[in-house]
Amino acid sequence: ADGRDGPALAAAPGRAQVFSTVVDTFLEKLVAAGSYQRFVSCYRCFYKLQPQLTRSIYDQFISQLQASIKEEIQEVKNEGNLEGLFSLLDKIVEEAKDREEPAWRPSGVPARDVRSALVPFLLRHRAHLRRALQERQERSSSLAEAVLAGRDSIAELQQLIQARQQAWQ
Amino acid sequence: MSVNPMTYEAQFFGFTPQTCMLRVYIAFQDYLFEMMLVVEGVMLKKLDGIPGCKISPSKIRKCTEKFLLFMKEHFDKLFSKMEEVLLQLVLNIPKNVLLPEDKVQEQYPYSEEEFQALQDELQQLQQQCRAEAVLEQELRAELEEQKAVKAELEKILQCFDGLENICREHGAGNFKESFAFLTQSSKKLQDVLKDVEEKSKKMNQHDQLM
């Protein structure tokens, strides 16, 4: 567990811890149920014949069963990356601890759920378009000014030429 | 009784918790049976090696079944309890918890209408951009035309200025006025010529009639 300094109260066990504890408890109780006494009472005839062998068979049976079960659990943990997921989920749950209302859950209709996922992209696109439009409008307006100024100076030139023409008449 | 499909948990873990539990249950059960068979096998082998043994294999089989039945009962009960705890405390996502990957769902809860409005707005912006692009092209085209026209007009002005400079250089003073006088005179001459032409035409006609 991550090093937590603070109050003397122990932090609530994480999911990984609970998982281990629960599996260990299961095994403990199973082994307790399948006790040597119980084993002997079922295999009484053999026990009478071979008491030592019976003990040894039982010991091997129990230890092998425990080993196989623990191995299976480890495999499941590795395959699913459970340790990592457990601690991640613990963190997520901790961050949401002050929140009381039920959170969003998938509606089951993908088309509906994907809307909100698309919105950030659309908003970004909109901002980009707004910027581009503004740039273009600024460009057009300065071009329009240049065009009007150009028309004015052409009119001026035409007037000057007319004046010269008349002076030469 | 409705079964909780635990789909949100499946989204997070990559498997359905119940499926995981089932897989584990079957595996454990298989190990139990396997071990029991091994136990039985060892015993039978031992008995085989004992001559005149009164214990038959079927008797051993009965013992095994007895023990197995007992174990299975406890196994099922204990496993069921374990499964309950795991499904409730470990392999579950509390109702108030939203997975980080779904943050957008609560950040942008857009209804269908709002979503459509956003898309419409985007379309409109795109059209406006296109319109501005067209306008820009037209304005640039006119600017090019204006450049050409201005160049021509300036050339003409330069011609006039050139003429004036020549006059000034050759000290022809009021060359402009003389030129203007000339153009007037030549016009008058042309008028007079025209008059004469007309008069002589009339005289010829008159002569012919005579």
Side-chain angles (χ1 to χ4, degrees), chain B residues 105-169:
Chain B
Q105 297 296 340
E106 298 202 334
Q107 270 179 327
Y108 304 109
Y110 272 54
S111 69
E112 203 174 315
E113 293 81 24
E114 289 167 325
F115 191 73
Q116 189 58 49
L118 184 55
Q119 284 184 311
D120 290 342
E121 192 181 342
L122 285 178
Q123 229 185 7
Q124 196 190 37
L125 282 171
Q126 276 175 327
Q127 274 176 343
Q128 281 177 298
C129 276
R130 274 190 289 247
E132 282 301 310
V134 167
L135 179 60
E136 194 183 319
Q137 247 186 350
E138 291 174 357
L139 288 171
R140 284 192 197 275
E142 178 165 341
L143 272 180
E144 283 300 305
E145 270 181 44
Q146 281 182 353
K147 240 201 301 200
V149 167
K150 257 205 261 194
E152 284 301 312
L153 292 178
E154 270 163 7
K155 247 196 280 184
I156 295 177
L157 259 184
Q158 273 179 2
C159 273
F160 276 114
D161 287 343
L163 279 173
E164 286 203 21
N165 285 341
I166 292 177
C167 296
R168 232 168 275 136
E169 273 172 32

Side-chain angles (χ1 to χ4, degrees), chain A residues 43, chain B residues 40 58 60-70:
Chain A
Y43 286 103
Chain B
E40 199 183 67
S58 67
I60 295 292
R61 176 41 67 99
K62 284 231 173 60
C63 297
T64 307
E65 282 171 357
K66 192 169 166 202
F67 187 67
L68 189 57
L69 191 65
F70 176 80

Side-chain angles (χ1 to χ4, degrees), chain A:
Chain A
D2 45 22
R4 284 206 212 184
D5 9 81
L9 287 168
R15 280 169 161 74
Q17 183 63 50
V18 174
F19 187 80
S20 288
T21 308
V22 165
V23 170
D24 288 344
T25 306
F26 165 80
L27 266 178
E28 245 176 65
K29 298 218 166 111
L30 188 65
V31 167
S35 63
Y36 182 55
Q37 287 87 345
R38 179 63 60 168
F39 189 75
V40 161
S41 83
C42 291
Y43 286 103
R44 196 156 289 283
C45 50
F46 188 85
Y47 172 71
K48 286 214 188 104
L49 215 60
Q50 299 276 336
Q52 273 168 325
L53 185 57
T54 306
R55 178 81 225 189
S56 131
I57 290 176
Y58 171 81
D59 285 341
Q60 268 218 315
F61 160 73
I62 281 298
S63 82
Q64 192 59 44
L65 183 63
Q66 280 182 305
S68 301
I69 284 178
K70 286 200 179 139
E71 214 182 282
E72 178 68 23
I73 287 295
Q74 192 56 48
E75 220 178 276
V76 169
K77 274 174 37 177
N78 293 346
E79 265 180 44
N81 182 28
L82 289 188
E83 296 273 329
L85 288 179
F86 286 159
S87 78
L88 178 59
L89 187 51
D90 284 338
K91 192 160 72 99
I92 295 172
V93 169
E94 173 68 21
E95 281 168 6
K97 70 172 181 233
D98 292 327
R99 184 215 165 102
E100 278 177 24
E101 333 84 66
W104 175 88
R105 287 290 183 265
S107 65
V109 183
R112 208 189 301 171
D113 294 344
V114 83
R115 266 203 315 250
S116 296
L118 289 177
V119 165
F121 294 106
L122 293 186
L123 288 177
R124 238 177 301 174
H125 192 203
R126 183 178 71 175
H128 166 81
L129 282 178
R130 280 180 177 168
R131 235 176 328 180
L133 181 61
Q134 194 189 15
E135 278 172 26
R136 281 179 198 267
Q137 281 172 333
E138 281 171 12
R139 246 202 321 262
S140 303
S141 115
S142 59
L143 278 175
E145 268 180 41
V147 163
L148 286 176
R151 288 184 190 171
D152 281 345
S153 62
I154 284 181
E156 248 183 62
L157 283 173
Q158 286 175 323
Q159 276 181 349
L160 281 176
I161 289 176
Q162 238 187 3
R164 305 286 162 101
Q165 270 180 332
Q166 285 182 345
W168 283 87
Q169 282 307 92

